Amino acid sequence: MAQRILFTAGLILWASLLFGEGTLPRRGGTYHYTLGPSDPPSLDPAHITDTVSHAVASELYDGLVSLDRDLKVQPAIARRWVVSGDGRIYTFDLRPEVRFHNGRSVTAEDFRYSFERLLHPETQSERTWILEKLQGAREFMAGKASTLAGIEILGPHRLQLTLERPFAPFLALLAYPAASVVPREETARWGRQFSTHPMGTGPFRFREWRHDDRVVLDANPDYFQGAPYLDRIVFRVIPDEMTRFQEFKAGRLDHSDIPTGLFQMVRDDPTLSRTLFSGPSLGINAIQFNLERPPFRGNPKLRQAFNHIVDKEAVAAVILEKRVVPARSILPPGMMGHNRDLQGYPYNKALATRLLAEAGHEGGKGLPSLTFHYNTGLVNRKIAEFVQGMLREIGVTVELREMDWPAYLNLLDRGDVQLFRLGWLADYPDPENFLTVLFHSRNRGSKGNLSRYANSRVDALLDRADAGLSPLERTRLYREAEKIIVEDAPWIFLHYYSTDVLIQPRVRGLREQISAMDSSPTLGNVQMRMVWLETEGG
Amino acid sequence: MRRYLLSRCGQAVPVLFGVTLIIFLLTHVALGDPVRAMMGQRADPEVMARIRAEYGLDKPLWHRYVLYMGKLLVGDLGYSYRQGRPVSQTLAERLPATVRLAVAAMVVAIVLGMAAGTVAAVRHNTAADLLMMTFSLLGISTPVFWLGMMLILLFAVSLGWFPISGYGDGALGHLVLPALTLGALQSGYIARMTRSALLEVLRQEYVRTARAKGLSERVVILKHGLRNGILPILTLAGIGLGDLLVGAPLTETVFAWPGLGRLLVAAVGNRDLPVVLGATLLFALIYLGANLVVDLAYALVDPRVRLTE
């Protein structure tokens, strides 16, 4: 009897492993990945500023640390680290078995080279801010020092980084692609063209790049964290969202994004809805006021009136097909410090009318002609028209002006705007990346604070929070700062972003990994080495 | 002939010089700061200033133009700001895909357009004429985005005859739908031109003579009609080929075709000025070349035309 029970149990286990959710991962196959509309501008970590390049680079390179699905810092090339009591000195022990794709072992010296390369003026990196907190970084960047004082080599596989002053998100910053290790011999060999001949330590190796068509990576069987299940990834550049959608439906893409306006259709479709993944994203969309120009300068009631008349629930429901959550604050859900108690500015026409009158502009009287700028994009245009209509309800007339992204950024830098749309996606999962970058007065202008908000009390709170060592204390300080900022209403807080992806049923190990730092269709934080394909095809 | 060619090449020099000047001014003045576009949303002004200086963007405009022309005269188109690669390499990479698509589309356009135009002219003022001209009008006025997507849905998604998109290592199957989409537009123009040119010729005395001699209608149309009416069609096809060679960004976008059109649109969007300048210069060369080829073809087709300086 006991034998029969054991035999039956074994049979069930075998069948469940073979056919069920617990099926053992299958090795082999090519994953067809779409990068969306654009070719990666660069695969040199020192020049990566966009999610497209990030998605490819994250499979080619490693840094000292990486982020897991819950956005916690986890070991990568560094197997462990110690932070000094004052929060300034980080000592890393590196794994000795890590090798570049050319076979050479990675040492602490390679990190010194990679970090100095990033900051060196000759590299012209757009991402120097990743490491500018290191001691002596400013002097090194200005060419006043020949070495970077904040890096010390303690042994072939031991590295010490010293910060100018304590900076709590520093470890999360090190997970950014710009802090990856690169082989000196390859960067010297290729010079600026290293961007198209990338080589790192990652789970996949560079094979081919046919510009504006595809990038192909092959599995690295010697990867120090274990070989990928996949043999190859083909990253395809497909500019049109409807074409991507058709390619996905035909099974020629293993995941894809959803074309604008089709989210509801996908959700209602019995087949497509089974392939849908929706999750929150660490990002916020907003309409910002220029606080250095009239009529919004020094007039919080006017800004609050504008906030109350814009119906964020309607924007989320009508324009964005309920794929996003209306915003009531700055820090999105999933971010440390997100405060559910903040109520933001719900739609309230009566209150908006009253606040407008109290601001000295009853029924819109006395307001100068207003222009609302936004960057090119169908959703942006729809939102702008929607907002224009709602403001008209309280007698405010705004003219809409659309611009392409580079011209738009130049305009915002100059501050020649009154009212403008601008979103923000997290570079790293820390409140500092939202509150300090976007609202600290030292970052006014192109450094991030484009609404030019300035509040000395908020600055002081943010400075303390950024340098804090206790997560609880930091959370408390950020929440206090955020509450003041929301009350000051420098923005109209529209909605938090979401990530919506269609994933083929044969793809395994992807859904479980998508985090709030991923955006669709480029899932830059996902580790593709953990993904496998249940069947051939595509 | 040789002197004619040399003279035409000589005429091209001031044209190209003018093109570089106009495009240089337009890109540097109208497109604004390329460094800001490279930096992303968060940008340190000090770092931007350093990169601007490195690219020479802090120098006066005239100085930058002189430097650019100095390099251009020795065949150096500079380096892409975004990818750090030589612009000449970037352009050379896209040319095969662009030429394949342009030639295939032109073949489609000539075959469809001349056939439709001939039928319309021969069956003048009949239902067939109306049908052909309606189709040609549809070809001209249908947005390529829409037509491309309809062809994808029918031939790639429903019937599965062709791939949906991509270059596919140059496989012929990948070329069919983009060539049909792009060719349909040009075929409309060619059909209308063929019809009017043929109608004009078919009224001539020598056509009546040919018919009176007892020649078959096929010989009359093909030998006496089309051959004599082909000059304006040739001009249209030549310039049309020039249009197709400088890229068809919309068709390339729908079919994810890695051609010059998308390259230029992306370079403008990214403010990659060296690529914008290089691509525009190449386009000017292509147009000059297309015009020259049309003029040479005149002499081949029509013995009455003599090429002089």
Side-chain angles (χ1 to χ4, degrees), chain A residues 41 124 127 129 138 192 195-196 210-212 214 236 240 243 247 252 404 406 413 423 446-447, chain B residues 36 39 41-44 46 54-55 82-83 85 93-94 149 163-165 169 254 262 269 271:
Chain A
Q124 299 167 16
R127 284 293 176 265
W129 53 262
R138 285 273 158 197
R192 292 192 63 193
S195 67
T196 50
R210 191 183 283 274
H211 290 277
D212 260 342
R214 62 176 182 256
R236 286 193 57 199
D240 184 51
T243 309
E247 289 278 20
R252 288 187 43 176
D404 84 331
D413 283 0
S446 66
K447 283 183 171 181
Chain B
R36 187 64 184 95
M39 298 296 292
Q41 199 165 323
R42 180 181 178 185
D44 187 332
E46 282 177 34
E54 196 68 35
Y55 286 144
R82 298 285 279 195
Q83 295 190 332
R85 298 191 306 146
E93 256 174 25
R94 308 301 170 104
M149 197 44 71
I164 294 170
S165 68
D169 284 325
V254 173
R262 262 172 73 200
R271 304 300 192 259

Side-chain angles (χ1 to χ4, degrees), chain B residues 73 94 246 279 288 294:
Chain B
L73 288 175
R94 308 301 170 104
V246 301
L288 288 169
V294 168

Side-chain angles (χ1 to χ4, degrees), chain A residues 107-109 153-159:
Chain A
T107 64
E109 201 53 62
I153 308 297
L154 303 178
H157 297 103
R158 197 147 216 247
L159 177 76

Side-chain angles (χ1 to χ4, degrees), chain A residues 393-452:
Chain A
E393 283 182 28
I394 51 169
V396 176
T397 310
V398 293
E399 190 190 321
L400 304 183
R401 201 159 294 166
E402 183 171 316
M403 296 178 86
D404 84 331
W405 182 241
Y408 188 62
L409 282 179
N410 277 315
L411 181 86
L412 300 187
D413 283 0
R414 290 198 305 272
D416 288 341
V417 281
Q418 295 167 313
L419 199 60
F420 57 99
R421 185 218 74 89
L422 201 64
W424 183 255
L425 276 169
D427 294 310
Y428 41 91
D430 194 278
E432 183 271 347
N433 189 234
F434 278 74
L435 298 179
T436 307
V437 172
L438 305 175
F439 297 101
H440 198 293
S441 63
R442 72 163 174 267
N443 291 327
R444 266 180 295 181
S446 66
K447 283 183 171 181
N449 180 357
L450 284 158
S451 65
R452 291 161 162 80

Side-chain angles (χ1 to χ4, degrees), chain A residues 264 311-324 326:
Chain A
Q264 201 61 49
D311 189 347
K312 294 97 182 168
E313 302 279 344
V315 169
V318 178
I319 299 175
L320 290 151
E321 304 176 278
K322 296 182 186 166
R323 64 203 279 184
V324 297

